[in-house]
Amino acid sequence: MQVIRDIPELRDWRESVAFDARRVGFVPTMGNLHAGHLALIDHAQRRADAVIVSIFVNPLQFEDPDDLARYPRTEEHDLERLERAGVAAVFLPTEPELYPHGQDEIVRVDAGPLGDRLEGAARPGHFTGVATVVTKLFNLVQPDVAVFGEKDAQQVAVIRRLVADLDMTVELAIEPTHREPDGLAISSRNRFLDAEQRRQAPAVHRALKRAAESLAGGHTVAATLAGARHWLSQQGFAVDYLAYCDDERFEEQTRLVPHGRLLVAARLGGVRLIDNLAVHTPHPTSLESDR
Ligand code: PAF
């Protein structure tokens, strides 16, 4: 595995792979690699000949400096996991390598209105930070295929729009959310949960499943969401949002749509957990009823 820390070396690596006419798969990460990341890598390996992973904790997408400072950085452990996973290369740029002129005056890629809704409203500027770094990484790595996780469903939607609106040629592949046996979505932030919080944490996923069942059972969107929010607060969570939206624009919906999604962000003490669940309505024609 080639460990690449600067842009000239990355360009050399990319040229050598192009020379061998190998298809490049790319998994961008912020490190602290877990089973969810390994599944993304496995997916990339099935779709490409050479897989490169980037590890960069992108300051541009953190609106809270304490959250950025606390984000787990586990380079040695990550490199071991990547080596074992058989990736061809890992790109580990420093902040000055990616943002040589600092962050204040950098040209940013605006994530548009989609980036201001739901998670974007809770974390202003977050998706513009994501869109900017992903654009830079795509330009540098020039992947044939890039793999992202459905756990960050709104991020996936932003990146789909980014690729479509800026005429990028990269193919996107989306891997389903990886969960612990009790349903908790695997995330780098789970390590901040203490034993009692870890016991409570699967309630986030349970709230989504109960809400999906409630919608399937014919309850209104408003009553379903109110019930799910109430239930989650009873379990000890401070709910940032629990919403039902369409799966493309992430606009909140008050009636069922053919491709809908339930999204939640909730805090347990100082730990913020997010999760989501696709709610596909099999018979859109039945949506005419006033739900
Ligand atoms: O999902 C992540 O880990 C990050 O948002 C990403 C896509 C690597 C951009 O920094």
Side-chain angles (χ1 to χ4, degrees), residues 28-30 37 56 58 61 126 130 133-134 148 152 155 159:
T29 80
M30 297 205 298
H37 293 113
F56 180 64
N58 174 34
Q61 68 188 75
H126 169 68
V130 170
V133 79
V134 168
F148 293 87
D152 297 302
Q155 169 170 284
I159 293 167

Side-chain angles (χ1 to χ4, degrees), residues 79-211:
L79 290 177
E80 278 168 22
R81 292 202 105 167
L82 293 176
E83 183 88 60
R84 259 184 279 132
V87 308
V90 53
F91 179 47
L92 289 143
T94 58
E95 206 179 303
E97 187 70 16
L98 270 203
Y99 300 124
H101 310 295
Q103 296 165 42
D104 293 344
E105 300 203 5
I106 190 178
V107 172
R108 291 169 200 248
V109 180
D110 187 337
L114 166 57
D116 293 334
R117 298 180 188 130
L118 294 164
E119 186 67 1
R123 301 181 62 187
H126 169 68
F127 286 121
T128 286
V130 170
T132 303
V133 79
V134 168
T135 302
K136 284 173 71 72
L137 291 168
F138 281 178
N139 284 340
L140 291 166
V141 173
Q142 296 175 33
D144 295 289
V145 56
V147 187
F148 293 87
E150 194 181 357
K151 155 111 189 335
D152 297 302
Q154 194 174 355
Q155 169 170 284
V156 167
V158 166
I159 293 167
R160 280 195 204 285
R161 283 303 298 261
L162 172 75
V163 166
D165 291 354
L166 300 189
D167 306 304
M168 297 177 175
T169 52
V170 58
E171 197 185 306
L172 297 178
I174 312 306
E175 174 72 16
T177 303
H178 270 248
R179 298 186 181 279
E180 301 286 2
D182 58 14
L184 175 66
I186 295 179
S187 158
S188 299
R189 292 177 194 272
N190 295 353
R191 59 160 41 207
F192 297 127
L193 297 166
D194 65 27
E196 173 59 13
Q197 291 169 335
R198 175 63 191 82
R199 205 185 49 72
Q200 292 166 287
V204 172
H205 179 53
R206 225 169 289 140
L208 294 179
K209 279 181 50 179
R210 288 170 70 133

